Amino acid sequence: MLSAHDITLKLSGRDVLSQVSIAAPPGQMLAIMGPNGAGKSTLLKVLSGDFASVNDQVALNGQRLSHWRDGALAQFRAVMPQSVQLNFAFTVEEVIEAGIRHPMSLQARQVHIGRMLEMFDVGHLRQRNYLTLSGGEQQRVQLARVLAQLEAMPASAPRYLLLDECTSSLDLSHQHQVFSVLKAWVSTDQSGVIVVLHDLNLAAQYADSLLLMDQGQVVKQGSVHDVLQAQVLSDVYRYPVQVIEHPAGWPLVIAGVSASSVCP
Amino acid sequence: MQRLMSSPQLATGLLLLALVLAFSASLTQGAVSLSVWQVYGTLSGLLDDAYAQLVIIDIRLPRVVLGAIVGAGLAIAGAAMQGLFRNPLADPGLVGVSSGAALAAVMVIVLGGSWLKQWTAFWGYFALPVAAFAGGLLVTAVIYKVSTRNGRTDVALMLLAGIAINAITGAATGIMTYFATDEELRTLTFWSMGSLASASWVDVAIAGFPILCACGLLPLFARPLNAFLMGESVTRHSGFDVRRMKRLVISLTALAVGAAVAVSGVIGFVGLVAPHLVRLLVGPDHRWVLPLSAMMGAFLVVVSDIFARLLISPAELPIGLVMAAIGGPFFLWLLLQQRARVGF
């Protein structure tokens, strides 16, 4: 379990988060959603331990973050930030390797890196200069890097991936490919994934539970069907939204049409 | 992948070979020309030539060894600093670390008999190198503090802070010249332009220990520095102790630069050009960049010193001038080449 309890955070005089609590159980994918500036990324940073002042209120597998050592923590949670700035011409392989602290034999590392790259369909880019890749390719390489960090050694307890808009530059098929991979990892590994996501329909299809935020507060938390309600979404996004049933059985959110105008 | 050497091992071998050739050239060439046999015969004890022994053991060898040590120290400090600032422009000379160290050294020279009497009395022979180290450390800390916000280094701020610090130290050094005697003035010029002319085995001992420490310890941080190129939080999330790494890398960098400046004055460009050349050869992986930069820096300084001694022989130029005269245009040429590449 990765959880944060009653987090209130002020940054430069402004309340960025107020009384936010979140719990991500193992074996589930949790999506954090909400309009720009709602505090989604900040909440993800709180969960990854970036704000030392609240580390006492965040717990990973039953132990407060303030009691974890950096090295041990890295075995149980990995973080993919919204953007990674790199000025130096690393190869894709070197990018993955740079994030792995755990010592491995040369051969094991080669195999490990290859496996992770293949998982996100970037195996063919292994020797390429990272800086010459497209935004979407860079994003898939970063996904491979954070998963490679966790998978570098066998797990003794649930592990957590924290991903901030990890598919924002991906094309349609790769978006679904990435989420399928993550979903499979969550269920086979009994690990947790927490994603900050803008695409409501991706969340509807893949997430096990949702957390909807607005202005630094939690508006609604629960299952996909509980949270994706036309009225709630229209209020939070200040934009008309209609929710219908997708033929495959999950809610389908259609924006730009108010619920009243379309109802038959 | 645009890298000149597909194998870092090959690059290491070639650099070692180049270093041996540069050593040999430096030991044979000079106001008096010696043969390769005279040099290696004397060094190995096979040749008993009192004159060659005097020239080699007492004059040229300490100078070449000192040049190599200073070059290695400046280059590895440059490489580490560029990793820490996540920017290939961070050079100890450019951001003012060298001039901070030089100012401290100059203060000890000029004020050692008056205001700083207690300092020189306490540290004795080490008053100057310790002061140079402290000056370098102080400037590094100031630059890092000024140019880093929210864990991100602002390059423009870093370079501007460097310009400010170079101006401040330049002014302070200028003021020192008014208090200096003629003899002290000559020493001051030496500091500001850099020279290996007065190299002795004592200098080798003074600079050797701290720089060998830096060359031995900095590569231990190669992996966190690699992660650091992707940002401070990425490094921490990958499990590295970022605060410890930053503290130690900053101290070791200042130690190497301070020691180099203490014995040879300000020699610019080595810290910038050497790591850059190494990255062209083998890419930006610090596990190779740090040790190879040290070798490349040693090579560059030894070769420049040969030119410094030969160009207007029997007089000689300050090596700092030679390095800037060769390094400047060369770096411009590199930048022109760079435009076609992506990343450093």
Side-chain angles (χ1 to χ4, degrees):
Chain A
M1 179 82 96
L2 175 58
S3 60
H5 178 66
D6 195 23
I7 304 284
T8 297
L9 200 66
K10 256 188 182 353
L11 291 180
S12 34
R14 206 171 66 88
D15 271 342
V16 187
L17 295 175
S18 41
Q19 300 173 333
V20 173
S21 294
I22 182 174
Q28 284 200 14
M29 185 185 296
L30 169 65
I32 303 175
M33 330 205 50
N36 294 139
K40 307 182 295 291
S41 295
T42 312
L43 178 57
L44 204 72
K45 282 182 185 159
V46 165
L47 289 170
S48 35
D50 281 358
F51 296 102
S53 57
V54 292
N55 274 354
D56 263 340
Q57 291 154 263
V58 185
L60 174 66
N61 294 340
Q63 193 175 5
R64 289 181 204 163
L65 279 195
S66 45
H67 293 183
W68 282 88
R69 294 181 58 88
D70 288 331
L73 193 55
Q75 292 172 19
F76 293 100
R77 73 97 183 80
V79 185
M80 178 174 160
Q82 215 168 38
S83 70
V84 170
Q85 302 278 339
L86 181 64
N87 290 324
F88 293 81
F90 271 140
T91 59
V92 165
E93 183 171 16
E94 286 167 335
V95 166
I96 310 283
E97 208 181 342
I100 303 175
R101 181 174 185 255
H102 186 69
M104 294 173 103
S105 74
L106 186 66
Q107 203 177 4
R109 200 168 53 209
Q110 293 288 325
V111 174
H112 178 60
I113 292 175
R115 203 164 63 87
M116 293 300 137
L117 290 174
E118 287 303 335
M119 266 175 102
F120 293 99
D121 194 23
V122 278
H124 58 292
L125 302 175
R126 189 167 179 152
Q127 298 303 329
R128 280 272 298 277
N129 178 350
Y130 176 82
L131 301 177
T132 62
L133 302 184
S134 76
E137 289 168 333
Q138 290 188 350
Q139 227 164 21
R140 276 141 61 201
V141 171
Q142 290 297 332
L143 277 161
R145 175 179 70 77
V146 289
L147 193 58
Q149 176 192 326
L150 291 184
E151 290 280 313
M153 64 180 300
S156 52
R159 303 179 283 194
Y160 292 86
L161 264 182
L162 309 182
L163 311 169
D164 197 348
E165 293 186 34
C166 61
T167 52
S168 58
S169 310
L170 298 191
D171 60 53
L172 183 73
S173 73
H174 280 111
Q175 283 185 351
H176 286 272
Q177 192 251 335
V178 162
F179 272 100
S180 306
V181 168
L182 293 174
K183 185 101 183 164
W185 183 72
V186 162
S187 55
T188 57
D189 204 71
Q190 277 305 297
S191 290
V193 170
I194 303 176
V195 282
V196 168
L197 200 56
H198 274 302
D199 190 326
L200 298 166
N201 288 319
L202 266 182
Q205 186 171 348
Y206 291 101
D208 297 296
S209 61
L210 301 183
L211 181 109
L212 188 64
M213 294 182 73
D214 192 21
Q215 300 181 353
Q217 289 174 325
V218 177
V219 176
K220 199 152 188 177
Q221 186 171 10
S223 73
V224 171
H225 278 98
D226 287 344
V227 176
L228 294 183
Q229 305 275 347
Q231 196 55 51
V232 178
L233 293 176
S234 301
D235 289 349
V236 164
Y237 286 98
R238 292 154 201 99
Y239 197 76
V241 158
Q242 199 205 349
V243 179
I244 59 174
E245 186 72 7
H246 189 286
W250 52 78
L252 178 65
V253 180
I254 303 169
V257 207
S258 72
S260 52
S261 71
V262 175
C263 271
Chain B
M1 190 62 224
Q2 280 183 312
R3 284 176 190 174
L4 296 182
M5 302 262 162
S6 50
S7 119
Q9 288 85 352
L10 180 66
T12 313
L14 283 179
L15 258 178
L16 264 179
L17 185 68
L19 204 51
V20 169
L21 288 178
F23 256 74
S24 309
S26 188
L27 288 173
T28 52
Q29 300 305 307
V32 191
S33 269
L34 297 173
S35 69
V36 175
W37 159 240
Q38 275 176 303
V39 169
Y40 287 102
T42 306
L43 285 180
S44 59
L46 291 174
L47 182 71
D48 193 19
D49 179 342
Y51 180 68
Q53 197 157 7
L54 177 78
V55 172
I56 291 166
I57 303 290
D58 291 339
I59 301 174
R60 284 192 194 158
L61 194 57
R63 183 168 180 155
V64 181
V65 172
L66 189 71
I69 289 175
V70 163
L74 289 173
I76 201 168
M81 209 170 211
Q82 286 149 24
L84 199 64
F85 283 96
R86 306 171 52 207
N87 189 285
L89 281 182
D91 162 68
L94 221 54
V95 298
V97 179
S98 302
S99 56
L103 172 62
V106 164
M107 283 171 69
V108 170
I109 294 170
V110 178
L111 305 174
S114 48
W115 285 11
L116 296 174
K117 208 172 209 154
Q118 279 174 328
W119 172 273
T120 41
F122 181 76
W123 289 104
Y125 207 91
F126 294 99
L128 203 145
V130 172
F133 166 64
L137 187 64
L138 184 71
V139 170
T140 316
V142 168
I143 296 273
Y144 196 84
K145 200 84 195 158
V146 169
S147 59
T148 308
R149 341 172 246 217
N150 303 331
R152 197 169 283 191
T153 304
D154 188 321
V155 185
L157 268 180
M158 175 190 79
L159 292 176
L160 289 174
I163 289 172
I165 283 173
N166 275 326
I168 295 166
T169 53
T173 311
I175 292 168
M176 288 294 150
T177 59
Y178 282 94
F179 298 105
T181 62
D182 273 357
E183 194 199 341
E184 285 167 355
L185 211 53
R186 248 198 310 280
T187 330
L188 292 193
T189 321
F190 157 87
W191 287 107
S192 54
M193 287 198 275
S195 169
L196 294 169
S198 61
S200 69
W201 287 113
V202 177
D203 289 333
V204 170
I206 287 179
F209 179 68
I211 287 181
L212 287 181
C213 267
C215 289
L217 294 177
L218 278 174
L220 296 181
F221 297 98
R223 289 172 42 69
L225 276 174
N226 279 347
F228 208 76
L229 295 186
M230 285 190 277
E232 190 160 340
S233 55
V234 168
T235 317
R236 193 175 49 246
H237 295 154
S238 306
F240 297 104
D241 187 341
V242 175
R243 282 180 47 182
R244 175 167 162 270
M245 188 272 277
K246 281 202 301 196
R247 261 203 307 267
L248 283 170
V249 169
I250 286 180
S251 316
L252 288 169
T253 307
L255 186 68
V257 174
V261 170
V263 293
S264 65
V266 179
I267 303 177
F269 268 111
V270 189
L272 188 67
V273 174
H276 195 97
L277 285 174
V278 170
R279 278 189 218 104
L280 271 177
L281 289 176
V282 300
D285 185 342
H286 282 98
R287 283 173 298 179
W288 292 104
V289 166
L290 290 171
L292 290 187
S293 290
M295 290 166 65
M296 181 68 87
F299 171 76
L300 289 179
V301 169
V302 170
V303 168
S304 301
D305 188 49
I306 298 175
F307 284 108
R309 284 187 288 133
L310 289 184
L311 280 179
I312 53 166
S313 169
E316 63 175 83
L317 289 164
I319 187 175
L321 287 187
V322 178
M323 189 60 89
I326 304 175
F330 179 68
F331 196 62
L332 273 181
W333 176 79
L334 268 186
L335 290 180
L336 284 174
Q337 304 290 306
Q338 187 84 58
R339 292 187 305 177
R341 296 174 81 238
V342 180
F344 290 89

